[in-house]
Amino acid sequence: IALKLGGHRKEDIKHTDVVVANPDVSVKNPFIRYALRLGKRVENEATIFFSLFPAKIVGVTGTRGKTTTTAWTDHFLKAGFRSAIAGNSTEHQFLKVLDRAGKLDVAVAEVPSFHLELFDSVRRAPDVVLVTNIYQDHLNRHGTLRQYALTKAKLFERQTSDQHLALNADDVWTRFFLRQRPRARVWFFSMRSLPRGTQGIFYRNKAVYFQFDGRKEKVLELGDFVARHGEHNLYNLLAGSLAAYLAGASWFQIQRRIASLPAVPFRQQVVFKSRRLTIINDTTATSPEGCIAAVKRFAGPRTILIAGGTDRQLDFRQWGKVVPRH
């Protein structure tokens, strides 16, 4: 093994067979473009995982709620399968999960847009794809919201008719995804009753209903879920339970595990609480919409909001209205 440290040189790329890029390196990077121009094989950890993982894959993407939905889908699947989370954290690195692939029945993979830029070379599509929602994010990398959404769509563009695609019926970008003509069987999740002729699940009166083949059936009782987890997590529950069902879990198994849903670190996480002070860590709310959700849940006249971060060229007008109001 020869180590070349302290920078990049075109001759290093010219004399190699495979370039494996950190996901933070854009496909527009001049060295990546040079490698592609030479016909080199360009990969990242996610493309390697999807190409080599032998068992079932549930792929989760979107802007908000990916990590919670991924964690909860895995939690539901563990009732009957040897399941694991893959991607987007040091604890669940794609290649670490790949090392124990022979001991798993299914992997629930969180796939951000940075990984998806190189998915044109991936021949194997997830058995189930779930898109949580689309909001403005990473525009400093993708340029436009449309290009950002097209990058997300790479996760399902190679799916076949015997695979499943779950979309948020309440999200304005779902129509855009349907215009990409997905070949997979399309399902929806919603906070409102689904239109006739569509299939999926929806929430009503503290319960979840499954609509399929012209019939509606109550499949989950949620009880005090909103009081325990917050209203915004209803979408994550709908998404995770639908993804788990499409991957093979029964509604009975999902119902039994709702009471033990795991809290996900850094996502509206209460890290300290006393009679005088509560501290909430929501450091993954890296878009205006994420912060708005936390402010609506927790904020009041005695709340101190600490915010900041990298400029992603996002629109903060709605954020600027909601924060002072709360």
Side-chain angles (χ1 to χ4, degrees):
I1 298 174
L3 300 178
K4 303 287 184 73
L5 307 175
H8 298 298
R9 297 179 300 177
K10 283 189 173 181
E11 53 262 39
D12 295 331
I13 292 173
K14 188 175 182 180
H15 298 298
T16 195
D17 300 308
V18 183
V19 175
V20 183
N22 182 302
D24 207 40
V25 178
S26 168
V27 72
K28 300 173 186 175
N29 178 282
F31 292 99
I32 300 298
R33 293 173 72 172
Y34 178 69
L36 292 170
R37 197 159 60 245
L38 293 179
K40 301 294 183 179
R41 189 172 141 208
V42 181
E43 306 273 3
N44 60 40
E45 57 183 332
T47 64
I48 294 170
F49 175 83
F50 272 77
S51 297
L52 298 178
F53 189 77
K56 184 177 292 185
I57 297 178
V58 177
V60 179
T61 195
T63 306
R64 304 299 311 160
K66 289 191 303 297
T67 302
T68 300
T69 298
T70 298
W72 288 2
T73 302
D74 172 69
H75 178 74
F76 292 140
L77 285 171
K78 276 183 165 58
F81 301 92
R82 296 174 299 172
S83 176
I85 296 170
N88 210 30
S89 76
T90 54
E91 185 182 355
H92 306 293
Q93 291 174 15
F94 279 112
L95 302 187
K96 283 186 177 180
V97 177
L98 194 57
D99 281 342
R100 54 193 183 95
K103 300 177 181 178
L104 296 172
D105 301 313
V106 57
V108 186
E110 180 180 353
V111 197
S113 60
F114 286 14
H115 281 111
L116 286 166
E117 284 183 334
L118 293 176
F119 261 56
D120 289 334
S121 64
V122 176
R123 298 287 171 242
R124 190 267 174 88
D127 302 277
V128 179
V129 169
L130 185 137
V131 184
T132 59
N133 47 55
I134 295 292
Y135 293 109
Q136 53 170 338
D137 205 1
H138 302 303
L139 299 189
N140 56 332
R141 172 132 168 186
H142 298 294
T144 65
L145 200 50
R146 183 180 185 277
Q147 188 56 47
Y148 172 59
L150 280 172
T151 304
K152 296 288 192 183
K154 289 179 181 290
L155 192 59
F156 64 76
E157 67 181 7
R158 283 197 168 88
Q159 281 191 298
T160 60
S161 58
D162 60 345
Q163 295 176 319
H164 303 283
L165 171 62
L167 297 173
N168 184 343
D170 305 337
D171 190 82
V172 295
W173 282 90
T174 290
R175 291 182 181 179
F176 174 83
F177 290 131
L178 293 175
R179 287 199 297 270
Q180 307 312 307
R181 300 180 181 275
R183 291 187 291 272
R185 192 169 190 174
V186 179
W187 304 77
F188 298 95
F189 57 96
S190 176
M191 294 286 282
R192 302 184 291 269
S193 296
L194 292 172
R196 292 180 62 182
T198 59
Q199 56 190 12
I201 62 175
F202 62 90
Y203 173 79
R204 187 171 66 200
N205 298 330
K206 296 186 177 182
V208 175
Y209 292 81
F210 179 52
Q211 181 168 300
F212 175 68
D213 203 18
R215 295 178 286 110
K216 295 177 187 175
E217 175 188 1
K218 184 190 289 188
V219 291
L220 301 174
E221 292 278 4
L222 300 190
D224 64 348
F225 177 87
V226 173
R228 294 175 59 202
H229 297 281
E231 190 170 348
H232 73 288
N233 268 322
L234 275 172
Y235 272 116
N236 297 330
L237 178 73
L238 290 170
S241 58
L242 179 58
Y245 173 78
L246 295 175
S250 70
W251 294 120
F252 175 74
Q253 290 171 323
I254 293 169
Q255 178 72 74
R256 288 184 61 188
R257 293 183 65 83
I258 289 176
S260 57
L261 284 167
V264 181
F266 317 126
R267 288 151 181 85
Q268 299 191 4
Q269 178 188 15
V270 177
V271 294
F272 177 84
K273 189 164 188 173
S274 70
R275 291 177 60 188
R276 297 182 59 195
L277 177 67
T278 300
I279 301 175
I280 298 151
N281 182 353
D282 197 32
T283 46
T284 57
T286 54
S287 68
E289 290 79 11
C291 184
I292 286 170
V295 165
K296 285 183 175 180
R297 181 180 178 189
F298 295 110
R302 300 173 66 190
T303 301
I304 297 171
L305 172 65
I306 303 172
T310 302
D311 180 9
R312 293 184 176 181
Q313 301 171 22
L314 306 180
D315 185 343
F316 281 88
R317 282 176 292 184
Q318 187 63 22
W319 186 93
K321 293 176 183 177
V322 172
V323 171
R325 192 183 309 146
H326 286 74

